[in-house]
Amino acid sequence: MKLRLFCGLFAFSFLVLAACSDNTDVSTKIKANPESEYSTTFEKLKIGKIIDYDFQIAAEDHPVWVTVWAEEYQNGKPLSEPVMLISYGLEPDETSQGPLGIGAFETEDGAYLFLYNESITMKPRKIGIPQTGYSVSGWQYALEEESLENNQSYLLAVYRATDGEMATYNFQDEKDVQQMIQDTNYALLIKMKLEERES
């Protein structure tokens, strides 16, 4: 009888611990997903570039506002801020998980950029990415995998076009990012911020 009671209590405790583990596992994380269906489709069709992330966010005691935006720089100086922006909120105890990314493509009319998440896709907007004239250019993931904190900005992706060599920078170091902007003829930065707000 005692053994049966002990086994029952052990099983119940295990279930409670498992449930608690599931709850505490819900946090705010982002992970680069360069092999996503979106990315591979764009590459196969040769229609542009997708920088795709798996994004999981959990609002706890307060609403959380998510903002993703793009900044352009020409010869070290900002052209406009922001050139494009996507913004949405989560209520307390609300969670969201799905894709978050940046798409870019070129037409005869120029270069276009759009931002998207699991439920929103922004209308493509024309931006100043140079189509010719620079020896080296390209997109890079600036963040690979990270547990995100509220009220802090993160650099997600960078597009660079330059006449010189494509130097290596630490994109999570603000001094390095500022140096990269100064060293690059044209730079496009995709940034993100999570803001905790009062209920």
Side-chain angles (χ1 to χ4, degrees), residues 106-117:
E106 293 182 2
T107 70
E108 293 180 358
D109 185 43
Y112 287 80
L113 182 78
F114 63 94
L115 305 175
Y116 64 88
N117 68 5

Side-chain angles (χ1 to χ4, degrees), residues 66-86:
V66 181
T67 305
V68 182
W69 71 96
E71 299 174 0
E72 285 184 295
Y73 296 86
Q74 186 84 44
N75 298 320
K77 296 180 180 179
L79 296 181
S80 60
E81 187 179 353
V83 67
M84 177 172 272
L85 181 145
I86 185 172

Side-chain angles (χ1 to χ4, degrees), residues 22-32 53-68 88-98 100 143-154 156 192-196:
D22 287 343
N23 289 336
T24 55
D25 192 45
V26 178
S27 59
T28 302
K29 303 174 185 176
I30 195 166
K31 183 178 181 180
Y53 282 95
D54 289 325
F55 180 49
Q56 173 181 300
I57 180 170
E60 297 180 351
D61 300 330
H62 299 279
V64 175
W65 204 256
V66 181
T67 305
V68 182
Y88 61 97
L90 279 79
E91 295 299 321
D93 299 322
E94 187 178 0
T95 62
S96 175
Q97 184 170 3
L100 173 71
L143 193 66
E144 291 298 324
E145 185 173 5
E146 190 79 25
S147 293
L148 305 179
E149 298 179 7
N150 292 337
N151 305 313
Q152 184 171 332
S153 296
Y154 296 89
L156 299 182
M192 170 194 230
K193 186 172 185 179
L194 312 176
E195 294 179 272
E196 187 176 281

